[in-house]
């Protein structure tokens, strides 16, 4: 939960079956005998290795050319009469289609992108809801690496007011940096779902890693009915701590929207203050110092664990790479 915005992990009690089942998107479909699991999930890593598999060298000899279905039953209690409900998928491989209570809400062919759908028009408040996800890996040519199959990254249910920061609606830059101060620019998109114009105050505070306010700016704006508008806010942070691979200091831009002196949304964006320059003769410079990139070619899967994302496994991988001398 983040202020007036509620962000809930949506990972448990999913039902899954491999295969293509007609009518599985319908609310009253009988999924009683489907497997119960938690996402992120990769059904390909669960299969047996096939040494004769077509394109097996690219796909770790683990078959994934099949269809899978996921379903989840859930309840949403309204916290206010003006509430929007979104579902955010951090990654589905691939060619996913999503339904809520039998209503189709979207299709995403590409498997390596996060996306969000607005469920509000079809939500049954304080009653059972069913979300269904079809994942079809049969119609794509093979990747040149192990892709996995399924809802392989986290899922979130997001509840907001009718006036809120748009999906991934903040963009932070630090155009000027000196030892004394850093100038910070925030571009913020705000959506008004009301059927009438709304006047509101948008305030952004820059917080240091200890949570102390180091900069603050606010603007009064008017949004027309069903409008998405963008504003630009500029402030400064005194004596900034600079981000670097060895000292990855992150600040946070905390943006709050007030209507009639009531908070209606709060959105937090982490960012680093650093200066990056690329010189065609001398190379890459970070915060005035020459930086040599030392990296490796790795993909999103976690080796023998498959493509399903796990925080602890990813953290361990990055720690081991750094110990080996990589600069991720």
């Amino acid at each position: 939960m983040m202020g007036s915005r509620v962000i809930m992990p949506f990972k448990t009690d999913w039902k899954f079956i491999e295969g293509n089942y007609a009518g599985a998107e319908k609310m009253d479909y009988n999924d009683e005998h489907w497997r119960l699991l938690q996402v992120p999930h990769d059904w390909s890593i669960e299969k047996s290795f096939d040494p004769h598999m077509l394109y097996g060298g690219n796909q770790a000899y683990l078959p994934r050319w099949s269809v899978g279905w996921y379903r989840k039953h859930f309840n949403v209690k309204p916290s206010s009469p003006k509430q929007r409900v979104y579902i955010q998928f951090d990654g589905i491989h691939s060619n996913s289609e999503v339904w809520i209570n039998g209503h189709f809400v979207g299709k995403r062919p590409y498997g390596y992108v996060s996306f969000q759908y607005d469920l509000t028009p079809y939500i049954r408040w304080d009653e059972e809801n069913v979300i269904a996800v079809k994942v079809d890996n049969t119609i794509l040519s093979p990747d040149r690496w192990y892709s996995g199959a399924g809802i392989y990254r986290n899922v979130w249910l997001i509840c907001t007011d009718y006036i809120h920061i748009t999906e991934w609606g903040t963009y932070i830059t630090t155009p000027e940096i000196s030892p004394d101060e850093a100038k910070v620019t925030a571009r913020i998109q705000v959506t008004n779902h009301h059927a009438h114009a709304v006047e509101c105050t948008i305030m952004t505070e820059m917080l240091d890693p200890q949570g102390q306010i180091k900069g603050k700016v606010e603007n009064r704006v008017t949004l027309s009915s069903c409008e998405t508008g963008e504003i630009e806010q500029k402030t400064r942070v005194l004596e900034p701590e600079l981000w670097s691979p060895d000292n990855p200091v992150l600040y946070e831009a905390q943006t709050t929207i007030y209507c009639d002196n009531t908070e209606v949304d709060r959105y937090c964006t982490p960012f680093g203050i650093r200066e990056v320059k690329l010189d065609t003769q001398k190379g890459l410079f970070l915060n005035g110092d020459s930086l040599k990139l030392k990296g490796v070619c790795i993909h999103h899967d976690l080796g023998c664990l498959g493509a399903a994302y796990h925080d602890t496994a990813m953290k361990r991988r990055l720690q081991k790479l750094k110990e080996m001398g990589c600069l991720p």
Side-chain angles (χ1 to χ4, degrees):
M1 182 177 295
M2 299 167 61
S4 50
R5 172 181 292 245
V6 178
I7 302 176
M8 297 175 285
F10 209 56
K11 302 191 296 183
T12 59
D13 298 329
W14 284 85
K15 293 188 173 184
F16 170 76
I17 195 167
E18 186 176 357
N20 198 1
Y21 291 83
E25 77 282 1
K26 296 179 180 179
M27 187 173 181
D28 59 356
Y29 185 87
N30 184 3
D31 56 19
E32 181 180 353
H33 299 294
W34 288 22
R35 176 183 167 193
L36 189 67
L37 53 75
Q38 176 173 309
V39 299
H41 170 243
D42 172 11
W43 80 69
S44 185
I45 197 67
E46 301 170 348
K47 293 179 174 291
S48 299
F49 292 100
D50 179 4
H52 306 294
M53 173 183 161
L54 184 64
Y55 306 114
N58 294 339
Q59 286 289 309
Y61 297 96
L62 285 167
R64 58 92 168 164
W65 285 285
S66 59
V67 175
W69 279 90
Y70 297 85
R71 286 169 58 90
K72 180 175 170 63
H73 301 247
F74 65 101
N75 187 290
V76 180
K77 294 182 180 296
S79 60
S80 75
K82 298 297 182 182
Q83 182 175 322
R84 310 293 297 187
V85 181
Y86 300 89
I87 189 167
Q88 179 177 309
F89 294 95
D90 287 351
I92 302 178
H93 199 284
S94 59
N95 209 48
S96 64
E97 297 175 79
V98 179
W99 291 261
I100 176 69
N101 298 331
H103 298 276
F104 181 71
V105 292
K107 179 175 181 176
R108 183 69 57 154
Y110 191 56
Y112 300 108
V113 66
S114 300
F115 55 96
Q116 192 178 106
Y117 293 128
D118 186 353
L119 306 182
T120 313
Y122 312 112
I123 282 289
R124 297 156 58 100
W125 298 105
D126 208 15
E127 298 181 35
E128 183 180 73
N129 295 271
V130 178
I131 191 155
V133 180
K134 179 183 178 182
V135 185
D136 186 351
N137 279 321
T138 65
I139 63 175
L140 296 177
S141 59
D143 296 321
R144 294 179 291 105
W145 52 81
Y146 177 77
S147 64
I151 303 177
Y152 70 94
R153 295 219 168 187
N154 289 322
V155 184
W156 310 90
L157 197 69
I158 302 171
C159 298
T160 72
D161 188 86
Y162 266 34
I163 300 174
H164 59 87
I165 308 294
T166 311
E167 168 191 6
W168 299 296
T170 58
Y171 179 64
I172 311 293
T173 57
T174 54
E176 296 182 35
I177 301 173
S178 72
D180 296 327
E181 67 175 35
K183 294 183 179 180
V184 183
T185 299
R187 286 165 48 193
I188 302 164
Q189 290 186 343
V190 181
T191 298
N192 173 23
H193 284 281
H194 286 286
H196 54 82
V198 173
E199 187 176 22
C200 56
T201 298
I202 301 174
M203 180 182 71
T204 300
E205 297 172 318
M206 305 299 173
L207 308 180
D208 68 11
Q210 291 73 45
Q212 301 298 311
I213 299 175
K214 296 298 182 178
K216 180 178 177 180
V217 60
E218 65 178 59
N219 297 87
R220 192 77 176 162
V221 299
T222 299
L223 296 171
S224 300
S225 167
C226 300
E227 177 193 11
T228 294
E230 181 176 284
I231 68 166
E232 184 176 83
Q233 296 184 317
K234 296 183 178 182
T235 187
R236 60 178 184 164
V237 173
L238 299 179
E239 299 179 348
E241 295 184 73
L242 302 186
W243 180 96
S244 71
D246 293 324
N247 187 39
V249 176
L250 289 179
Y251 288 76
E252 183 175 85
Q254 183 174 276
T255 302
T256 308
I257 303 176
Y258 295 95
C259 294
D260 297 324
N261 296 318
T262 300
E263 178 183 317
V264 296
D265 194 21
R266 182 179 300 178
Y267 192 94
C268 297
T269 308
F271 68 98
I273 297 176
R274 75 270 196 193
E275 180 186 63
V276 179
K277 289 185 177 180
L278 186 61
D279 187 289
T280 56
Q281 301 298 320
K282 299 179 180 180
L284 178 67
F285 287 80
L286 177 66
N287 301 328
D289 298 324
S290 177
L291 180 66
K292 304 299 183 184
L293 295 180
K294 302 172 185 177
V296 292
C297 181
I298 57 174
H299 293 288
H300 76 282
D301 66 276
L302 294 168
C304 61
L305 299 180
Y309 179 83
H310 299 282
D311 286 329
T312 51
M314 183 61 74
K315 182 178 179 179
R316 180 184 182 275
R317 172 204 263 183
L318 293 175
Q319 288 174 332
K320 292 299 181 182
L321 285 171
K322 199 166 185 180
E323 290 172 7
M324 293 165 57
C326 294
L327 189 65

